[in-house]
Amino acid sequence: MAHNNPLHEKIWRVVQRIPVGNVASYGQVADLAGLPGRARLAGKCLGYVPDNGFEGQPVPWFRVLRSSGQIAFSPGSESFELQRSLLMEEGVCVRGARVSLKQFQWQPTLDELLFSFDT
């Protein structure tokens, strides 16, 4: 798949803004990218992130979870274990397959919302 898809780029830009130690849901990422109702697209395009990131910066795909706070990969799978490990390295508490969104969900500031999402 081509890596110059403008919809993918919008998603990647939002994911790049999720701070260390925070998570966001696929739906939240889609909304912030100006693509409301496109949570599945957000999840799908994270699978297309170039190995070298986007615009020279990494895209921390592992900070994006289901709206329930659950890791989307099957528990025990290699991808699940990688995501769980990366989150825990950043101080995000993962219990089983779930993260407490109340505790760790990214809440962009008003300034971020007004000035950072010109995607």
Side-chain angles (χ1 to χ4, degrees), residues 75-87:
S77 69
E78 189 175 322
S79 297
F80 173 90
E81 293 301 332
L82 175 61
Q83 186 171 11
R84 186 175 192 274
S85 169
L86 291 169
L87 287 169

Side-chain angles (χ1 to χ4, degrees), residues 6 21 26 43 91 114:
Y26 294 106
L114 292 174

Side-chain angles (χ1 to χ4, degrees), residues 5-82:
N5 183 317
L7 297 182
H8 293 191
E9 293 175 5
K10 287 181 175 195
I11 296 293
W12 298 339
R13 282 188 185 99
V14 170
V15 173
Q16 286 175 324
R17 289 183 170 90
I18 302 171
V20 171
N22 289 137
V23 298
S25 71
Y26 294 106
Q28 179 184 6
V29 167
D31 288 349
L32 290 171
L35 302 165
R38 306 290 302 269
R40 287 186 182 181
L41 173 66
K44 185 174 182 177
C45 82
L46 288 178
Y48 299 127
V49 174
D51 291 339
N52 61 346
F54 176 64
E55 294 183 339
Q57 298 294 317
V59 179
W61 59 268
F62 58 90
R63 295 181 187 149
V64 186
L65 307 168
R66 289 181 174 160
S67 61
S68 63
Q70 189 171 8
I71 293 173
F73 297 110
S74 299
S77 69
E78 189 175 322
S79 297
F80 173 90
E81 293 301 332
L82 175 61

